[in-house]
Amino acid sequence: MNSVPFNIMVFPIGPLCNMDCKYCYYKDKTKYYSNVKEYKMSEKLLENFIEQYVEAHPGPVISFNWQGGEPTLRGLDFFKKAVCLEKKYVPEDWEIENNFQTNGLLIDEKWANFFKKENFLIGLSIDGPGHLNDIYRKTNSEENTTKKVLESYQLLNKFDVETNILCVVNSSNVKKPLEVYNFYKKHNMNFLQFIPLVETDKNGKVTKRSVDPMEYGKFLLEIFDNWLLNDYGEIYIQFFEQCANAWYGREPSLCMFSKQCGKALAMEHNGDLYACDHFVSPEYKIGNINDTHLKDLVFSSKQNKFGKNKYDRLSQKCIECKYYFVCHGGCPKNRLNESNINYLCEGYKTFLNYTEPFFKSIVKGIKKRKHPRIIKTDIKNIHDNIWKDVNRNDPCPCGSGSKYKICCLDRKE
């Protein structure tokens, strides 16, 4: 057994989905399986995977990650079988975690009851209020989805199922940060992930749906200010927590912020293993667990090289940046040109420059074991000092480079 933890995102129904999200990067993976009639992972392969995954994993906590496509399309019985197999192969003194990413359309009381009974963590996708979410997140028949997703969230809450919200930040909702954030607060959604949309067309050009780097930075900044003053210690925002961990000196838990990647792989319905779910293409296929044991694939020279390339191919300018220790260059998929600098770099730097004193204060308070209420008072004082006596024509304290009057004046009044 190895001593290095890793995760596999499992696609039990492959790329199939009951939604047609316009920005989905995975649905077209059917082109790599054009001869396939049915994308359902067999129970035989399921057992083979779980046995190999446990054998390869160091423990004592092992996470199973179910993705899609839309995993609920594989049916509830499949996941009941998966849980039985987990209990069969995972040592008794280990802790089992199940993470399940869904669009929520098929969630009913049977699913909710199962998730609660087996202690699943649910990731539910919704991009803000209806007029923003329904721009890109529609069913295959072009119907809006917000109403149904909210009903599913309420049902999961009723059954006390732990649920995180995943928001894809795109060119539409990025312009309404506080509207998006207040929508989540209104519905008591207290665990939030903001994933920036960066996609390219067939010519390598960034699409109109993608976020602008500086707009994304300001999106994070405006939500940060609101969270800082009102919700610190009560609402969990993944990006902010990762930043705080970096300032504390802890290793990042997200692969996108790690110095080296390659420990978050993706497995298709037939056992094909890929370097990462953002790199599912023939050149990044590591092998198939029906032919080679999973541990030999995960720790193969090919996968190891993929992981090291994140640092080895990074721009020296990026490595010398004062905030490199936070983002480590971000996700390699967002390096869109020969410079090997992340497309979102300027947005990240603007956010990190503004938030530096706050994160330093938060970490200092945590190390001194201050009560969150005291930490909140400390950071509010820092905030007030930064923004007091700012004149209309002064550079905006947010660091955008624009004048205060055309940047943050409206939201601060």
Side-chain angles (χ1 to χ4, degrees), residues 73-178:
L73 292 174
R74 186 59 186 86
L76 182 55
D77 288 343
F78 177 87
F79 292 99
K80 288 181 177 179
K81 178 69 173 179
V83 168
C84 289
L85 291 170
E86 291 169 5
K87 294 174 181 177
K88 174 181 177 181
Y89 287 105
V90 175
E92 289 186 8
D93 58 341
W94 285 20
E95 180 182 347
I96 300 173
E97 297 177 344
N98 278 282
N99 305 310
F100 193 100
Q101 185 64 43
T102 179
N103 58 38
L105 297 191
L106 296 181
I107 301 299
D108 57 18
E109 290 200 356
K110 291 181 180 179
W111 278 104
N113 184 60
F114 168 75
F115 289 147
K116 176 58 181 177
K117 178 183 176 183
E118 302 300 342
N119 198 33
F120 272 53
L121 170 62
I122 307 304
L124 186 66
S125 296
I126 184 168
D127 293 349
H131 67 281
L132 295 174
N133 177 73
D134 293 330
I135 294 174
Y136 297 129
R137 298 189 62 80
K138 293 182 180 292
T139 67
N140 287 325
S141 56
E142 289 297 306
E143 296 174 345
N144 293 336
T145 59
T146 304
K147 183 175 183 293
K148 173 55 186 171
V149 177
L150 286 176
E151 290 172 353
S152 294
Y153 181 73
Q154 293 164 0
L155 185 60
L156 292 168
N157 267 352
K158 176 183 175 182
F159 280 80
D160 196 28
V161 177
E162 187 175 356
T163 306
N164 291 354
I165 298 299
L166 190 151
C167 170
V168 175
V169 186
N170 54 68
S171 59
S172 294
N173 59 7
V174 73
K175 303 179 191 306
K176 305 286 185 180
L178 296 187

Side-chain angles (χ1 to χ4, degrees), residues 124-361:
L124 186 66
S125 296
I126 184 168
D127 293 349
H131 67 281
L132 295 174
N133 177 73
D134 293 330
I135 294 174
Y136 297 129
R137 298 189 62 80
K138 293 182 180 292
T139 67
N140 287 325
S141 56
E142 289 297 306
E143 296 174 345
N144 293 336
T145 59
T146 304
K147 183 175 183 293
K148 173 55 186 171
V149 177
L150 286 176
E151 290 172 353
S152 294
Y153 181 73
Q154 293 164 0
L155 185 60
L156 292 168
N157 267 352
K158 176 183 175 182
F159 280 80
D160 196 28
V161 177
E162 187 175 356
T163 306
N164 291 354
I165 298 299
L166 190 151
C167 170
V168 175
V169 186
N170 54 68
S171 59
S172 294
N173 59 7
V174 73
K175 303 179 191 306
K176 305 286 185 180
L178 296 187
E179 186 175 349
V180 171
Y181 184 57
N182 288 330
F183 168 81
Y184 295 139
K185 288 176 63 174
K186 174 184 175 182
H187 292 283
N188 298 312
M189 298 172 173
N190 296 328
F191 295 86
L192 309 175
Q193 300 177 41
F194 294 110
I195 311 298
L197 177 63
V198 181
E199 62 177 4
T200 56
D201 60 24
K202 61 183 179 181
N203 297 315
K205 301 287 187 180
V206 176
T207 67
K208 293 181 179 180
R209 290 190 291 261
S210 299
V211 291
D212 172 81
M214 288 302 291
E215 283 192 335
Y216 179 60
K218 192 169 182 181
F219 174 92
L220 292 174
L221 191 151
E222 291 194 25
I223 290 178
F224 178 83
D225 256 3
N226 198 292
W227 169 81
L228 192 78
L229 298 177
N230 302 301
D231 307 309
Y232 173 79
E234 298 176 12
I235 292 180
Y236 172 96
I237 299 178
Q238 186 186 57
F239 186 87
F240 302 164
E241 296 293 335
Q242 289 295 306
C243 291
N245 280 343
W247 282 107
Y248 198 97
R250 294 170 175 157
E251 287 295 314
S253 58
L254 281 180
C255 60
M256 64 178 285
F257 286 151
S258 298
K259 180 179 179 180
Q260 180 174 321
C261 57
K263 300 306 178 191
L265 298 88
M267 192 182 82
E268 261 294 342
H269 65 288
N270 67 341
D272 283 346
L273 194 68
Y274 292 88
C276 169
D277 69 309
H278 289 289
F279 291 86
V280 173
S281 57
E283 63 267 36
Y284 293 105
K285 180 180 172 182
I286 309 301
N288 187 293
I289 70 166
N290 292 306
D291 305 320
T292 307
H293 196 287
L294 188 146
K295 67 176 181 292
D296 294 325
L297 297 174
V298 172
F299 299 102
S300 65
S301 58
K302 182 175 182 179
Q303 181 65 5
N304 187 48
K305 183 179 180 181
F306 171 83
K308 286 185 174 181
N309 279 343
K310 177 174 182 179
Y311 177 83
D312 292 345
R313 295 180 178 178
L314 192 59
S315 164
Q316 189 63 30
K317 180 181 178 181
C318 188
I319 294 173
E320 293 172 356
C321 174
K322 67 179 291 189
Y323 298 118
Y324 170 72
F325 77 99
V326 181
C327 72
H328 290 102
C331 182
K333 78 176 182 66
N334 292 334
R335 299 177 192 172
L336 305 183
N337 54 50
E338 294 179 356
S339 71
N340 278 324
I341 293 178
N342 196 295
Y343 168 78
L344 297 168
C345 176
E346 291 306 313
Y348 283 148
K349 285 170 66 176
T350 298
F351 174 80
L352 293 171
N353 182 63
Y354 173 76
T355 58
E356 179 176 347
F358 299 107
F359 283 123
K360 284 182 175 179
S361 180

Side-chain angles (χ1 to χ4, degrees), residues 54-66:
V54 174
E55 288 177 359
H57 211 279
V61 178
I62 184 165
S63 297
F64 294 89
N65 303 283
W66 309 102

